[in-house]
Amino acid sequence: MGQRQFPEGFAWGAATASYQIEGAWDEDGRGETIWDRYCLVPGNVLNGDDGKIACDHYHRYKEDVALMKHMGIKAYRFSIAWSRIFPKGYGEVNEKGLEFYSNLIDELLNAGIEPYITLYHWDLPQALQDIGGWANPQMPEYFLEYAKVVIDAFHGRVKKWITLNEPYCAAFLGNSEGRQAPGIRDFSTAVRVSYYLYVGHGLAVDYFRKKGCDGEIGITLNLMGRLPLTDKPEDIQAAARADGYLNRWFAEPIVYGRYPQEMIEFYRSKGVRLPEFKEEHMKLIGQKLDFIGLNYYNDFHVKADDSVWPLGFKIENPKYVPVNDRNWPVTEQGLITMLLRMKNDYGIDKIYITENGTSFPDVVSMEGKVEDGARKDYLHRHLTALREAISQGVNVQGYFQWSLYDNFEWSFGYSSRFGIVFVDFNTQERIIKESGHWYSKVIEQNAV
Ligand code: GBH
């Protein structure tokens, strides 16, 4: 393998999520989701945007698959909208919903693109939120019921399965910071949600195993370095806590079947109410997975701040670091560090980068081009870093660009563009950005 070559059969992919691209919010029996509801509240989403139309992918999926094929993309990670399958979260299956994904899968397979399914990328049916959402101990059973239907329908044709996308965001951004649906601001609720999300994950994995499905099942985590802003002891401590909160709280139950004890103690000392962690649940959660999906965007620096309850830190960029339009720094070395940590500290033996990418205020030039040199630079840096981690022995078998399209970027609406393909949200025209053309070459040469 040459210095810039990637392993043979490397899965070069692109990723999306249902609520961010599908649109068709009220078609073919789709039920309301917590994101539909969240978007209704003024101030929740920039410019009052919502995902009602998004990239209109529900109607344009054939064209979208053809474009991916044209770009040489070999794998496509998408998520299933639970509320298309069960409009009320459970009960009777909505066949039209299954049909849409079945058609999409066939289209992908015919185009020679491998489907990777994410079962839960944050769009919980609103009817389930109405009975407490993921804080309700019954939720894992509902999730299992939903996962069973999807696995039964598509296993065989689909070999790669991801239970949850970024449980950290679903739990804490949604239920403690209120920056995402369902918009709750209660730390104890968020911790509880993180737990029941994991029980749901465990049940789905258990089902997949018992059914003897051919293929791989794993989970996608957003593990990202948390570095002290200064070398003051309080900042160093704060960074360790931030790591416990964001990374270890999610990685360790999956790998070891237990939550980090000192985080449990820390939360208790702050008066956070914790759920009762049950032995049988921890066994389910700690089942061996076939892979871990890593979403890596950047590291952040952390500064101690006692006014923030209960964690006692805030995020702050050092001066003069290059950032994107969301103020996220470019820290590609952190990708290597995180991958080595996954391999060496946690013994994770198969990894996919299930998301990596960046946001810039892209525009179309007079010549009809989108010259996103800064994104190309970001991708180049991260792919070079990834290649380096592979040469240091980390088993990474695929890389998914976030995102295929500019899309509904959650609380940033359509203002934050992550695509390697530009989308004009008035006309639905798609234009491959310079970074997208560059990515096609990387794929073609299997080298960066
Ligand atoms: C991913 O989230 C999502 O999976 C995807 O749907 C989304 O469109 C994409 O990335 C781009 O945002 O919480 O203050 O420590 C990534 C979300 C954003 C989570 C940054 C961690 C760190 C800031 N990540 N966030 S903070």
Side-chain angles (χ1 to χ4, degrees):
M1 199 164 72
Q3 247 187 25
R4 304 171 150 225
Q5 287 299 123
F6 277 72
E8 217 174 299
F10 193 76
W12 290 108
T16 64
S18 44
Y19 191 70
Q20 297 182 270
I21 65 156
E22 284 178 1
W25 66 291
D26 62 351
E27 281 178 54
D28 293 340
R30 176 186 179 278
E32 191 190 12
T33 71
I34 56 175
W35 272 93
D36 297 294
R37 186 68 67 91
Y38 184 77
C39 290
L40 294 176
V41 180
N44 275 353
V45 178
L46 219 61
N47 305 315
D49 291 342
D50 59 46
K52 283 184 175 159
I53 300 174
C55 305
D56 196 33
H57 170 71
Y58 191 79
H59 298 117
R60 294 168 195 261
Y61 71 93
K62 288 191 177 166
E63 173 196 327
D64 294 338
V65 172
L67 182 65
M68 279 192 267
K69 183 177 178 182
H70 168 78
M71 293 176 76
I73 287 169
K74 298 205 182 320
Y76 177 52
R77 171 176 177 240
F78 62 96
S79 78
I80 304 239
W82 185 337
S83 80
R84 287 197 193 279
I85 312 301
F86 289 109
K88 296 271 173 228
Y90 61 93
E92 214 178 304
V93 174
N94 175 35
E95 293 297 334
K96 287 265 186 199
L98 278 180
E99 198 181 302
F100 167 69
Y101 295 107
S102 178
N103 291 339
L104 171 62
I105 291 163
D106 284 343
E107 199 72 16
L108 288 164
L109 293 173
N110 288 334
I113 300 171
E114 177 163 25
Y116 284 58
I117 285 184
T118 306
L119 287 169
Y120 185 70
H121 199 126
W122 310 350
D123 44 356
L124 188 74
Q126 178 62 38
L128 294 179
Q129 190 61 45
D130 293 342
I131 54 167
W134 284 104
N136 179 339
Q138 284 176 305
M139 217 47 47
E141 290 294 336
Y142 294 136
F143 179 69
L144 173 62
E145 196 178 317
Y146 154 68
K148 273 182 180 171
V149 169
V150 179
I151 292 170
D152 287 353
F154 303 137
H155 82 98
R157 273 189 289 167
V158 177
K159 304 240 161 39
K160 305 293 187 345
W161 295 83
I162 295 160
T163 54
L164 307 175
N165 178 69
E166 300 190 351
Y168 160 78
C169 296
F172 287 97
L173 300 188
N175 295 277
S176 153
E177 299 200 14
R179 287 197 270 145
Q180 292 191 353
I184 292 169
R185 291 192 162 82
D186 183 71
F187 198 90
S188 300
T189 299
V191 174
R192 208 177 152 82
V193 164
S194 73
Y195 179 59
Y196 289 119
L197 277 164
Y198 264 11
V199 179
H201 154 84
L203 288 172
V205 174
D206 184 55
Y207 179 72
F208 188 87
R209 296 277 183 245
K210 288 196 173 130
K211 196 178 163 77
C213 293
D214 174 26
E216 304 172 6
I217 193 162
I219 190 170
T220 279
L221 304 178
N222 58 309
L223 307 176
M224 302 149 109
R226 291 296 182 254
L227 314 168
L229 186 66
T230 73
D231 53 15
K232 288 186 201 145
E234 64 266 32
D235 285 349
I236 293 172
Q237 255 185 24
R241 212 150 54 230
D243 184 63
Y245 161 65
L246 174 76
N247 296 323
R248 298 178 47 221
W249 189 260
F250 292 91
E252 295 190 8
I254 295 291
V255 177
Y256 304 133
R258 59 171 163 70
Y259 282 89
Q261 189 56 34
E262 97 290 350
M263 286 309 288
I264 291 181
E265 276 156 29
F266 172 75
Y267 286 148
R268 284 214 178 104
S269 77
K270 294 287 172 183
V272 174
R273 279 170 287 114
L274 298 178
E276 189 196 332
F277 302 116
K278 294 203 178 120
E279 185 80 34
E280 42 168 319
H281 287 165
M282 295 316 298
K283 273 215 187 91
L284 284 168
I285 295 170
Q287 283 168 96
K288 174 117 175 74
L289 300 177
D290 299 308
F291 65 87
I292 300 284
L294 172 66
N295 289 357
Y296 184 84
Y297 287 89
N298 59 271
D299 290 351
F300 269 117
H301 282 81
V302 166
K303 193 179 150 126
D305 183 343
D306 285 342
S307 71
V308 184
W309 180 88
L311 293 161
F313 74 83
K314 63 180 188 199
I315 300 289
E316 191 172 310
N317 285 335
K319 285 197 179 103
Y320 314 122
V321 295
V323 293
N324 71 3
D325 69 358
R326 298 274 294 277
N327 237 0
W328 298 1
V330 181
T331 59
E332 72 277 4
Q333 290 303 313
L335 174 60
I336 303 180
T337 311
M338 188 53 76
L339 286 169
L340 287 173
R341 180 172 168 193
M342 289 169 81
K343 171 181 188 280
N344 298 330
D345 296 3
Y346 291 136
I348 295 167
D349 48 26
K350 192 195 269 191
I351 298 169
Y352 295 97
I353 305 295
T354 39
E355 291 179 26
N356 173 244
T358 190
S359 166
F360 287 108
D362 302 310
V363 290
V364 184
S365 74
M366 300 283 273
E367 298 80 41
K369 288 187 175 166
V370 181
E371 316 245 16
D372 57 339
R375 178 175 293 99
K376 195 165 94 181
D377 177 65
Y378 174 96
L379 297 182
H380 185 264
R381 284 168 184 272
H382 285 79
L383 284 175
T384 306
L386 173 58
R387 180 64 190 80
E388 172 61 26
I390 292 173
S391 75
Q392 292 190 34
V394 186
N395 181 18
V396 181
Q397 302 224 336
Y399 170 91
F400 293 74
Q401 180 45 227
W402 185 273
S403 179
L404 176 65
Y405 286 151
D406 294 337
N407 59 38
F408 177 76
E409 174 53 21
W410 307 116
S411 55
F412 288 80
Y414 298 100
S415 72
S416 170
R417 293 179 175 271
F418 273 89
I420 49 173
V421 175
F422 182 90
V423 176
D424 179 326
F425 291 104
N426 294 312
T427 62
Q428 290 295 340
E429 189 188 353
R430 281 93 159 106
I431 302 170
I432 302 173
K433 299 180 190 178
E434 292 306 297
S435 62
H437 290 299
W438 177 81
Y439 188 51
S440 292
K441 285 206 193 89
V442 170
I443 298 175
E444 196 186 307
Q445 298 169 355
N446 197 34
V448 65

